[in-house]
Amino acid sequence: MPLHVPPAPTPALRSVLTALGSPAAVRQAPTPTLRSVQGAVSAELPLPVHVLDQVVPRPGQAPRTRLAGWRFLIRAGERSVAAADTMLTPDGWAFSHFFEGPYLVSTERALIQAEALTADYQPRLLSVPELYMLTLWLHGDTAADASSGAPAPDDLLVPLAPAPPGIAAHRPHRAAELLPVLTLRATRAPLLGSPA
């Protein structure tokens, strides 16, 4: 089934297109592949980036997320060469930065995997800063407002590579199954330097 990619806010897309059209912004980016592209590039597949601020929720609370920005894949021809992040400022959506690296390739791979699923999903990204983890969040409500919400129990979370040790990258997990594992990971005491 096709993924139902939510539309990004127009100002967010406009800020990325403006940055792409700025030779200075592209030249200063830590993205050798983007800097070396000859020809046209485009900003595609906008994904809202949500942050799970507390892996371990307070008693009686469900996990909560907040929208941190929108990420666009920057494509040259048939391949992605970088990604662009935007952020919400007091003046509205603004370009943040270009980047490349393992999460770019991993995001594309996870999106291709998700296209092969039999159910319809709205793709999002879910960042778990406490565990240095990023997942493709496949939200089951395809008509939902992409800027809000929390993972529903039946939503799928696909850890992107590199994933934390012991969590397999690119293996879809129901949110109801993966979130408790993340809670355990976040609450475990460190082995090194802990009092005996």
Side-chain angles (χ1 to χ4, degrees):
M1 291 290 171
L3 294 176
H4 297 267
V5 178
T10 301
L13 175 58
R14 190 179 312 122
S15 72
V16 170
L17 295 176
T18 299
L20 281 171
S22 166
V26 172
R27 200 171 38 251
Q28 293 172 2
T31 53
T33 307
L34 177 60
R35 289 193 314 261
S36 68
V37 169
Q38 301 293 317
V41 293
S42 60
E44 299 179 9
L45 285 169
L47 298 173
V49 181
H50 292 262
V51 175
L52 183 63
D53 284 318
Q54 289 184 321
V55 174
V56 183
R58 293 189 177 106
Q61 280 188 339
R64 290 190 350 222
T65 67
R66 64 178 169 81
L67 181 67
W70 283 81
R71 179 166 296 167
F72 297 80
L73 297 183
I74 306 302
R75 297 185 59 87
E78 294 298 313
R79 66 187 186 110
S80 291
V81 294
D85 276 357
T86 62
M87 61 184 179
L88 191 57
T89 69
D91 295 325
W93 288 102
F95 170 74
S96 175
H97 62 280
F98 293 115
F99 69 94
E100 58 186 58
Y103 283 132
L104 174 64
V105 173
S106 190
T107 300
E108 274 199 307
R109 177 179 169 190
L111 287 166
I112 291 168
Q113 287 177 298
E115 284 282 350
L117 297 173
T118 57
D120 290 345
Y121 291 103
Q122 181 189 84
R124 304 172 174 195
L125 293 172
L126 180 65
S127 173
V128 187
E130 288 178 71
L131 299 174
Y132 303 99
M133 181 178 183
L134 186 64
T135 70
L136 177 64
W137 170 13
L138 298 173
H139 190 49
D141 183 356
T142 59
D145 178 358
S147 65
S148 63
D154 286 334
D155 285 355
L156 293 181
L157 299 175
V158 183
L160 301 180
I167 296 177
H170 296 287
R171 182 173 167 245
H173 302 268
R174 287 183 50 244
E177 296 165 353
L178 185 61
L179 290 175
V181 172
L182 301 182
T183 299
L184 288 174
R185 291 247 173 195
T187 58
R188 277 203 309 213
L191 297 177
L192 298 175
S194 61

